[in-house]
Amino acid sequence: MLTVHHLNNSRSQRVLWLLEELELPYQLEKYQRDAQTMLAPPSLRKVHPLGKSPVVTDGDMVLAESGAIVETVIEHYGQGRLAPALGTPERLRYRYWLHYAEGSAMPPLLLKLVFDKIERTPMPFFVKPIAKAISGKVKSSFILPQITTHLDFMEAELGKSLWFAGDEFTGADIQMSFPLEAAAARGGLDATRPKLMAYLARIHARPAYQRALAKGGPFTLG
């Protein structure tokens, strides 16, 4: 049986959602972030050397990286569900969005989180103005324009179809949920991009999403 090593407020929430969508049995091992550092506990290193989540185990198999997990689980257990047919334009879009989520969408959002924390970190009074000035410059000249570009791109793409790979919900939508949740929490995603906001409302309304949230615990990226 699949075991999900689930860290609170992390990408592993997507894995729970995936398994709920496929109605697959699984075991859940929960881990809590350190309240001060927000890092995963050392016990996760016993599961995978990087000590991060998500990690899925099944017998001798240890699989990390949310995109790899989503793709592998759908291939092995999906029985044709949550992935478009091979050789179709939708399958190409499905593969693109699976990789885009972490490869392109998340990096600027992560950078914004890091530089926001720099501005809030206690430091000597004579250093703080310099740190804030540098952080503000990096955000205004690079990070925020990148986030805007990606949000505009995703908004336009959802003007082509109901879901990212086409008119059917797929694993690509599960993978794309995390950067959009992060963008809504701290990246400026709001009602000015109605298609993305409607997309978030649709995924939040899915029964499997709600079951995963109930099992995984409170989920916030704010």
Side-chain angles (χ1 to χ4, degrees):
M1 179 182 291
L2 292 169
T3 298
V4 181
H5 298 268
H6 172 64
L7 179 66
N8 65 306
N9 289 339
S10 78
R11 291 161 170 80
S12 57
Q13 187 65 37
R14 288 184 294 198
V15 178
L16 301 184
W17 179 19
L18 169 68
L19 297 178
E20 291 294 332
E21 289 282 356
L22 292 173
E23 298 181 305
L24 294 175
Y26 62 93
Q27 294 179 334
L28 182 61
E29 295 287 341
K30 290 186 176 182
Y31 302 80
Q32 291 292 316
R33 295 182 182 275
D34 183 279
Q36 298 299 319
T37 66
M38 296 306 295
L39 297 176
S43 54
L44 259 176
R45 290 185 179 274
K46 298 178 181 178
V47 184
H48 189 278
L50 293 181
K52 295 183 178 182
S53 182
V55 177
V56 170
T57 56
D58 186 7
D60 293 333
M61 181 195 76
V62 179
L63 185 61
E65 294 295 337
S66 54
I69 292 170
V70 170
E71 197 165 8
T72 301
V73 168
I74 289 174
E75 286 181 359
H76 287 272
Y77 306 100
Q79 298 181 331
R81 294 170 292 174
L82 298 187
L86 288 169
T88 63
E90 289 80 9
R91 183 67 174 226
L92 183 59
R93 288 178 60 82
Y94 162 80
R95 184 174 291 114
Y96 172 79
W97 292 109
L98 273 177
H99 293 278
Y100 170 89
E102 293 294 334
S104 294
M106 276 306 299
L109 291 165
L110 180 59
L111 283 173
K112 184 176 184 298
L113 174 65
V114 170
F115 279 88
D116 284 347
K117 284 189 174 182
I118 289 174
E119 293 177 359
R120 296 194 300 265
T121 299
M123 61 186 73
F125 74 91
F126 54 88
V127 175
K128 195 169 186 66
I130 300 173
K132 289 189 69 173
I134 294 173
S135 174
K137 181 64 175 177
V138 173
K139 288 197 297 184
S140 64
S141 63
F142 176 72
I143 297 173
L144 295 179
Q146 281 291 305
I147 292 174
T148 297
T149 296
H150 283 287
L151 291 178
D152 288 345
F153 171 59
M154 289 184 280
E155 177 78 6
E157 289 295 303
L158 281 180
K160 300 176 181 178
S161 57
L162 185 65
W163 301 102
F164 275 104
D167 290 327
E168 299 294 329
F169 177 84
T170 71
D173 296 295
I174 294 174
Q175 185 71 349
M176 283 296 298
S177 66
F178 193 85
L180 288 176
E181 299 272 17
R186 57 175 182 259
L189 175 56
D190 57 24
T192 60
R193 293 183 176 87
K195 291 183 177 62
L196 290 177
M197 295 303 290
Y199 175 88
L200 283 175
R202 285 198 300 277
I203 66 174
H204 293 164
R206 295 183 70 86
Y209 181 97
Q210 296 173 11
R211 292 196 303 270
L213 197 62
K215 293 181 179 180
F219 179 70
T220 176
L221 295 174

